[in-house]
Structure formats: structure tokens, C-alpha cells
């Protein structure tokens, strides 16, 4: 019951500012900076409003910590989005060397960010800090057991349970919350899963970049519309809809592989399954959710880990509560109106 509420809240963090920005652009088209200002202000407003939900559900997390993590999360996302928005605004009306240069620059910046740029920023603002001795020892022992080297392990100052691998830079990230509530043997099992991602082939690693196709083509909106009109808009939407679905399928396959590796390297039977259950429970995630997630359902992961749940398979959690779908629909309508106006001005 809680999952669709959270999904809508997270969606609205982006959708509501987008709606405000589109309205400002459509109503006051001659005041070009206004849409960006309105969107940024709405972004801060939607974030502040969502803090009440987060604090009500996760009462253990203080308001200052929620504010800090929200600010860092927006900073991480905003830097990427500002690059895309700036590129789209600067794009010329026709495909030429300038358009090519802007496109290449965006790809290079995205690549630098994905390969460690966000790690550099996280260290600079104190979000990523050196791993404590306990965590470093656990990861080093599992790394030696699996014969999978890594470059660095960092502690992420977050109030929620997560662990990540950055295969391109061979780095591992663990949140402080995970270290707080997990015993050593379960941390070792989680680290085996993340180390498994470091063994993925170059093809598997680069296949994850397909998710970029949901956003990258939109920076060419202006020259595409000037050159091809309405079909260009349809083509952009096709990329936006299909790319995340393909990415989810690729990701689920790689996550299932990492689960199998973690299961084969656990110190005792069932440790990895208990770690998964603890992580989902602490984050209040459902055992079965929507089909297009990047990870398999927890219910299926527990069965694959050799510890079937002691309850019947539940119905999948709903995707989103009504207001999330409503705002998403409004944003879609406004985007269509914006595209029609853009095409009509040619």
C-alpha cells in the first residue's frame, strides 16, 4: 500500500516542476528565462513538501538529515539535467557542426560523470567518505575469496540501506545505514553481489548505457522538428518509452547473475537471502512490485537464493496512486501542446 504512494511522490519531484516550467513557457513565451526560474523554484517546493511524507514514514531519520540528503540528491541530479537542458537550448535549428559538437560534448560529459565524476563530487561535498576499517576488512576478505580486485570502497552517508558497484572505476559504495543494521556475514554477502558486477563483460557494462537513449535524443529536439516536423516528435517519444524497458530487462538479467554469484560465495546457507530480506524490509519495499523494475522481485530473489518465503506470493504492488498518474498525464498533454506550438512556428 505504501509503495505506490512513494512512487508517486518521487515521480512528482520531477513532474510537478516540469509542469510549472512548461506552463510558464507556454503562457509567457517571450520571457525565456522565466520557465527555468519557475521550474527551479517548483523543484525546491516539491522537495520541501515531500519531506513531511518521508519524516512521517521514516521517523528514525531526523529532518536535518532528510534535508541534507534531499539537497545532495538534487545536486547530483540537477547537474546532469542542467547539461541536457543547456544543450537543448543551445542547439541550432539545423544539423551542422555546432549541433554535432554539442552532442559530442554531452556524451563526453555523461561518460565522465558515469565513470567517476559523481564520485569526485560526492567526496568533495562529504557524501562519500573513506570506508571504516570494519567494512574495508569485510570487502577485502570477500574480494580475496572471489579473486575479484577492486580499486576503492567508500561509505555513503545515507539513512537508507543500499550498496552499489561502479564497474567502470571498480569502486564499491555502501551506505552508513546498511553498516549500522547489518551483521558482518550479511555485509559480506552483499559485497559478493556488488563484486560480481565488477566481473561483468564490457558489453554488459556498456549495454546499461542504453537508458541514456531515453533522454539524449531530446537535446536534438529543435533541429529534428525543423527537419522532420511531427514524425520527429513521435520518434523521440518512442525512444523515451522503449529505452527504459530495454534497460530494465538488461539490468534484471545482470542483477540475477550477481545474485547467483553472491549465493555461491556466502559463508553459510541462507545468509544472502536474509540480507536481501533485511534490506527490503528496512527500505519498506514490497516483495512483488511492477514488472519493469531494474531488479527481480524480492520474492523471486529469495527463492533463487534457496530460502523460499514463508508466505504466499502476494499480488504485485500498484504502480502509482492517482495523483502521480494525474500529474504525469498533465505533463504529457503540456508536452504535446508545446510540440504542436513548436511545429506551428516553423
Amino acid at each position: 500500500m505504501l509503495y505506490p504512494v512513494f512512487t508517486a511522490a518521487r515521480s512528482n519531484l520531477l513532474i510537478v516542476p516540469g509542469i510549472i516550467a512548461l506552463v510558464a513557457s507556454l503562457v509567457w513565451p517571450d520571457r525565456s528565462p522565466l520557465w527555468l526560474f519557475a521550474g527551479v523554484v517548483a523543484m525546491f517546493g516539491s522537495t520541501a513538501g515531500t519531506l513531511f511524507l518521508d519524516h512521517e514514514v521514516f521517523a528514525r531519520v531526523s529532518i536535518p538529515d532528510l534535508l541534507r540528503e534531499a539537497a545532495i540528491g538534487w545536486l547530483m541530479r540537477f547537474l546532469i539535467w542542467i547539461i541536457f537542458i543547456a544543450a537543448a537550448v543551445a542547439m541550432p535549428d539545423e544539423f551542422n557542426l555546432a549541433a554535432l559538437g554539442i552532442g559530442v560534448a554531452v556524451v563526453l560529459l555523461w561518460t565522465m560523470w558515469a565513470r567517476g565524476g559523481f564520485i569526485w563530487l560526492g567526496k568533495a561535498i562529504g557524501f562519500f567518505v573513506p570506508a571504516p576499517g570494519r567494512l574495508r576488512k569485510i570487502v577485502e576478505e570477500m574480494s580475496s575469496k572471489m579473486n575479484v580486485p577492486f580499486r576503492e570502497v567508500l561509505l555513503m552517508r545515507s539513512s537508507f540501506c543500499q550498496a552499489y558497484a561502479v564497474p567502470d572505476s571498480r569502486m564499491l559504495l555502501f551506505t552508513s545505514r546498511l553498516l549500522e543494521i547489518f551483521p558482518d556475514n550479511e555485509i559480506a554477502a552483499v559485497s559478493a553481489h556488488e563484486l560480481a558486477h565488477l566481473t561483468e563483460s564490457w558489453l554488459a557494462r556498456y549495454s546499461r548505457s542504453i537508458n541514456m537513449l531515453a533522454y539524449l535524443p531530446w537535446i536534438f529536439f529543435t533541429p529534428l522538428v525543423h527537419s522532420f516536423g511531427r514524425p520527429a516528435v513521435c520518434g523521440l517519444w518512442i525512444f523515451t518509452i522503449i529505452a527504459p524497458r530495454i534497460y530494465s530487462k538488461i539490468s534484471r538479467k545482470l542483477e540475477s547473475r550477481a545474485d547467483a554469484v553472491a549465493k555461491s560465495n556466502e559463508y553459510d546457507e541462507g545468509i544472502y537471502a536474509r540480507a536481501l530480506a533485511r534490506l527490503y524490509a528496512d527500505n519498506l519495499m514490497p516483495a512483488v512490485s511492477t514488472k519493469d523494475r531494474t531488479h527481480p522481485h524480492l520474492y523471486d530473489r529469495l527463492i533463487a537464493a534457496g530460502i523460499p518465503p514463508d508466505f504466499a506470493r502476494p499480488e504485485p504492488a500498484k504502480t502509482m496512486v492517482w495523483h502521480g498518474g494525474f500529474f504525469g498525464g498533465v505533463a504529457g498533454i503540456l508536452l504535446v501542446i508545446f510540440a504542436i506550438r513548436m511545429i506551428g512556428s516553423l
Side-chain angles (χ1 to χ4, degrees), residues 108-121:
L108 288 176
L109 288 171
W110 175 278
T111 302
M112 290 171 58
W113 179 260
R115 291 179 64 89
F118 74 98
I119 298 288
W120 175 85
L121 176 62

Side-chain angles (χ1 to χ4, degrees), residues 268-299:
D268 294 301
E269 184 73 18
I271 290 178
Y272 182 61
R274 288 199 297 272
L276 283 175
R278 190 187 305 275
L279 188 149
Y280 275 70
D282 194 66
N283 290 332
L284 300 179
M285 296 293 292
V288 179
S289 53
T290 53
K291 295 181 180 179
D292 294 330
R293 290 186 57 80
T294 57
H295 289 63
H297 304 302
L298 172 64
Y299 199 90

Side-chain angles (χ1 to χ4, degrees), residues 151-193:
R151 198 181 86 188
E152 189 176 9
V153 57
L154 297 172
L155 186 70
M156 184 164 52
R157 297 172 59 202
S158 172
S159 304
F160 301 93
C161 277
Q162 288 295 343
Y164 303 96
V166 188
D168 289 331
S169 54
R170 304 196 66 81
M171 302 181 74
L172 301 178
L173 311 173
F174 295 80
T175 63
S176 51
R177 175 63 178 173
L178 186 144
L179 211 60
E180 176 186 337
I181 69 171
F182 274 48
D184 288 5
N185 57 359
E186 291 183 16
I187 295 175
V190 172
S191 69
H193 174 99

Side-chain angles (χ1 to χ4, degrees), residues 67-118:
L67 284 168
R68 176 181 61 83
E69 293 176 29
I72 291 173
W74 269 117
L75 176 63
M76 295 285 195
R77 285 191 290 264
F78 187 69
L79 286 178
I80 293 298
W81 282 106
I82 198 66
I83 290 173
F84 278 94
I85 293 172
V89 171
M91 193 66 65
D93 293 341
E94 300 177 352
F95 286 103
N96 51 31
L97 287 177
L100 176 62
I102 293 172
V104 170
V106 169
V107 172
L108 288 176
L109 288 171
W110 175 278
T111 302
M112 290 171 58
W113 179 260
R115 291 179 64 89
F118 74 98

Side-chain angles (χ1 to χ4, degrees), residues 1 10 27 29 36 50-51 62 80 85 107 114 156 190 194-195 225 242 304 313 345:
M1 294 174 64
R10 299 296 175 263
V27 176
L36 181 59
T50 306
L51 287 175
S62 67
I80 293 298
I85 293 172
V107 172
M156 184 164 52
V190 172
E194 302 308 331
L195 286 165
V225 169
I242 292 179
R313 185 184 185 88
S345 65

Side-chain angles (χ1 to χ4, degrees), residues 165-228:
V166 188
D168 289 331
S169 54
R170 304 196 66 81
M171 302 181 74
L172 301 178
L173 311 173
F174 295 80
T175 63
S176 51
R177 175 63 178 173
L178 186 144
L179 211 60
E180 176 186 337
I181 69 171
F182 274 48
D184 288 5
N185 57 359
E186 291 183 16
I187 295 175
V190 172
S191 69
H193 174 99
E194 302 308 331
L195 286 165
H197 285 306
L198 302 188
T199 67
E200 293 171 357
S201 67
W202 67 269
L203 181 60
R205 294 202 304 271
Y206 283 106
S207 66
R208 292 180 182 272
S209 300
I210 195 170
N211 199 38
M212 187 180 178
L213 293 178
Y215 314 104
L216 179 62
W218 285 92
I219 69 173
F220 297 102
F221 179 83
T222 300
L224 281 171
V225 169
H226 275 80
S227 300
F228 304 104

